[in-house]
Amino acid sequence: QVQLGESGGGLVQAGGSLRLSCTASGRTFGNYFMGWFRQAPGKEREFVARIKWSDGVTNYADSVKGRFTISRDNAENTVYLQMNSLKPEDTAVYYCARKLALASRYDSWGRGTQVTVSS
């Protein structure tokens, strides 16, 4: 079981930017997908973005496409989520997660970092 720790959340004005980081300990990210998810109070957790560790291919939810960028640093076992043009509806707890490349679900999760976007 890999341990994941998120950082970089905070309070930002609409239109501003934040960069979230997720660092893994215990295992490498090879042959995995790393994903970002978010959950607002009273709402279900939703997919935000993912990256295929082996080749860097990315996928984004329509709601963040063109505004968010997911990237990786293999040497540091770290995944980033650069968030630009933030909107109040982006307010949520953001989680990073790991999925085996051939698995159907994510099996390791971080504890989350709060992102709050004010008007």
Side-chain angles (χ1 to χ4, degrees):
Q1 190 84 278
V2 64
Q3 286 186 289
L4 304 175
E6 305 97 334
S7 63
L11 175 64
V12 66
Q13 293 175 305
S17 298
L18 286 172
R19 188 181 73 160
L20 306 183
S21 299
C22 175
T23 299
S25 61
R27 299 177 69 179
T28 65
F29 291 169
N31 300 312
Y32 297 117
F33 287 89
M34 294 297 300
W36 286 97
F37 295 77
R38 66 188 183 186
Q39 187 170 26
K43 303 295 183 182
E44 296 297 316
R45 185 166 54 206
E46 65 175 350
F47 168 80
V48 176
R50 75 177 187 190
I51 186 166
K52 189 177 181 182
W53 200 258
S54 60
D55 61 11
V57 173
T58 59
N59 181 251
Y60 299 91
D62 287 343
S63 59
V64 307
K65 198 171 299 180
R67 300 188 297 122
F68 291 10
T69 303
I70 187 170
S71 61
R72 76 198 196 283
D73 185 338
N74 185 65
E76 302 294 334
N77 283 341
T78 300
V79 177
Y80 303 98
L81 185 68
Q82 178 66 47
M83 305 185 294
N84 298 326
S85 301
L86 282 162
K87 305 173 180 180
E89 50 262 47
D90 295 318
T91 296
V93 177
Y94 283 70
Y95 301 88
C96 65
R98 189 281 305 272
K99 183 182 79 70
L100 294 171
L102 299 179
S104 61
R105 61 182 179 177
Y106 290 80
D107 62 354
S108 297
W109 294 82
R111 293 181 178 180
T113 184
Q114 177 71 48
V115 172
T116 303
V117 185
S118 65
S119 300

